[in-house]
Amino acid sequence: MNYRKFIEAQVAQIQATVGDGIAISALSGGVDSSVVTVLAHRALGRQLKVFFIDNGLMRKDEPRTVVRMFRCMRIPVQLVDARKEFLDALRGITDPEAKREAITRTFYRDVFARLVRETGARFLLHGTILTDIEETVAGIKRQHNILAQLGIDPEREFGYQVLEPLKTLRKDGVRKVAALLGLPKDLVQRMPFPGPALAARIVGEVTEKELELVREATAIVEEELKSVRAFQYLAVLLKDQATGIRNGRREFGRIVVVRCVDSKDARSATPTRLPWSKLERICQRIVALPGVNRCVYDLTSKPPATIEYV
Ligand code: XMP
């Protein structure tokens, strides 16, 4: 594919569709929504309103990091505090697809619909990529950003149109576009991060307590593995508990899974052969988190596993 032509065509398409109207873009901190935002900003300038929705499911310091990165590119980002809305929507839900649906509903029906009303926008830009569509259509996983393929008409149901400039690309193509758009290297190489965010890494109910644990574990894994150059690395909090010993006494503690995979486009993935010393260090740091007494490394490829746990 000629990615320069792709960029020109998408910029022209966004301009033609939005005309002199207003569009909104919501950043998640991942590479797809970052690329779509820069593409749309190139097409629309001030007609584009960019938001970072703090849904309470984000990584440590993520809202500040993303706003800062975009400020460096002279793209203003407004931070929206929707933490309570998302946590309320997730309360009591343990089924993985129901969790994803609750997140989708809160994003589209509540938060985006409100932002659209407040800004007078009629368009929402989305970082949907081909893999998201394929996995949803194949019934593997309902990706948080898939609507039309599930028979949902956003204009009728939520009052705005959704534009998906990246829907013919896979992750490697998105990175090529990112580089051609002149995004900072850190952003071009930014690891994928799922729309449902840390909720995709908590098996069982998502509460503030579980989020705090998985957020801390994620920060440890990201810090320890950033030099490894793997496709994606993450921490997952299991619902199960395991017997352990702390301060000479029995403890029934939490289990954290460390996952690190090599992949080209996320359609398939294999576990990264990490040095033993690295794994030991991560394990020591993770079992120092309150209530966690076991840390395991996931050796499963995709398929049969997926990269995320929910
Ligand atoms: P899985 O877990 O399906 O993930 O192997 C494949 C890639 O997609 C990311 N992912 C998502 N991205 N919305 C997204 O934007 C989602 O709902 C979603 N679920 C998974 C995941 O992090 C991996 O890179």
Side-chain angles (χ1 to χ4, degrees):
M1 174 179 306
N2 181 329
Y3 289 101
R4 263 183 219 289
K5 286 227 162 73
F6 174 88
I7 291 172
E8 279 167 26
Q10 294 308 322
V11 167
Q13 177 76 46
I14 295 170
Q15 283 167 338
T17 311
V18 177
D20 57 6
I22 289 174
I24 65 175
S25 177
L27 288 165
S28 73
V31 66
D32 307 335
S33 66
S34 297
V35 167
V36 111
T37 298
V38 175
L39 205 55
H41 186 258
R42 189 175 277 196
L44 301 172
R46 284 158 168 264
Q47 289 165 256
L48 178 75
K49 310 284 171 215
V50 185
F51 296 96
F52 181 94
I53 317 291
D54 186 355
N55 53 16
L57 312 173
M58 291 295 167
R59 287 173 288 189
K60 221 174 175 177
D61 291 333
E62 187 73 355
R64 257 188 312 137
T65 309
V66 173
V67 172
R68 203 178 328 115
M69 265 190 309
F70 276 77
R71 192 180 299 137
C72 291
M73 290 187 282
R74 297 178 183 277
I75 301 180
V77 179
Q78 292 177 55
L79 202 57
V80 177
D81 183 358
R83 287 176 293 183
K84 187 170 178 317
E85 263 167 298
F86 280 88
L87 282 177
D88 285 351
L90 285 164
R91 186 158 305 126
I93 304 180
T94 51
D95 177 75
E97 288 295 285
K99 256 154 81 173
R100 284 179 164 260
E101 204 190 326
I103 292 170
T104 299
R105 240 188 301 116
T106 310
F107 264 127
Y108 294 93
R109 194 198 55 197
D110 303 336
V111 180
F112 292 151
R114 189 169 64 238
L115 292 177
V116 160
R117 276 198 307 276
E118 285 170 4
T119 57
R122 281 185 37 233
F123 303 93
L124 169 71
L125 280 133
H126 244 187
T128 322
I129 63 171
L130 190 52
T131 320
D132 300 338
I133 296 173
E134 284 174 344
E135 291 202 341
T136 302
V137 172
I140 295 170
K141 194 183 277 188
R142 179 203 175 106
Q143 302 282 327
H144 84 288
N145 48 6
I146 300 295
L147 303 170
Q149 291 78 6
L150 292 173
I152 301 168
D153 175 355
E155 182 135 47
R156 205 184 55 231
E157 295 201 26
F158 312 125
Y160 52 84
Q161 275 182 49
V162 171
L163 311 181
E164 298 173 316
L166 307 181
K167 70 176 176 198
T168 56
L169 300 184
R170 295 191 192 284
K171 196 67 80 183
D172 45 337
V174 178
R175 289 198 205 284
K176 290 195 179 111
V177 171
L180 282 174
L181 283 171
L183 267 68
K185 208 166 148 225
D186 279 358
L187 205 43
V188 175
Q189 281 163 3
R190 208 154 199 241
M191 159 162 83
F193 187 65
L198 297 177
R201 301 171 181 178
I202 295 171
V203 180
E205 189 183 355
V206 176
T207 67
E208 283 187 71
K209 185 173 153 230
E210 334 287 314
L211 279 164
E212 196 44 41
L213 259 185
V214 85
R215 189 174 285 125
E216 288 301 323
T218 303
I220 294 171
V221 170
E222 291 197 357
E223 190 187 318
E224 292 290 339
L225 296 183
K226 66 173 177 266
S227 56
V228 169
R229 295 186 159 273
F231 179 81
Q232 200 168 357
Y233 34 92
L234 47 122
V236 177
L237 182 63
L238 298 186
K239 192 162 115 192
D240 285 338
Q241 288 179 269
T243 298
I245 312 157
R246 198 171 306 261
N247 302 325
R249 296 182 70 88
R250 178 183 189 277
E251 177 193 61
F252 202 43
R254 306 301 302 263
I255 308 168
V256 169
V257 176
V258 175
R259 185 131 173 86
C260 177
V261 293
D262 299 321
S263 175
K264 182 167 158 272
D265 55 20
R267 278 195 295 175
S268 60
T270 50
T272 309
R273 291 180 178 234
L274 293 173
W276 196 251
S277 56
K278 192 60 113 184
L279 286 169
E280 279 176 332
R281 195 178 145 71
I282 293 172
C283 177
Q284 276 158 13
R285 289 186 65 187
I286 283 182
V287 295
L289 293 173
V292 179
N293 67 6
R294 239 167 248 250
C295 175
V296 300
Y297 185 53
D298 185 342
L299 289 181
T300 328
S301 292
K302 175 182 179 178
T306 54
I307 295 176
E308 308 288 349
Y309 267 50
V310 168

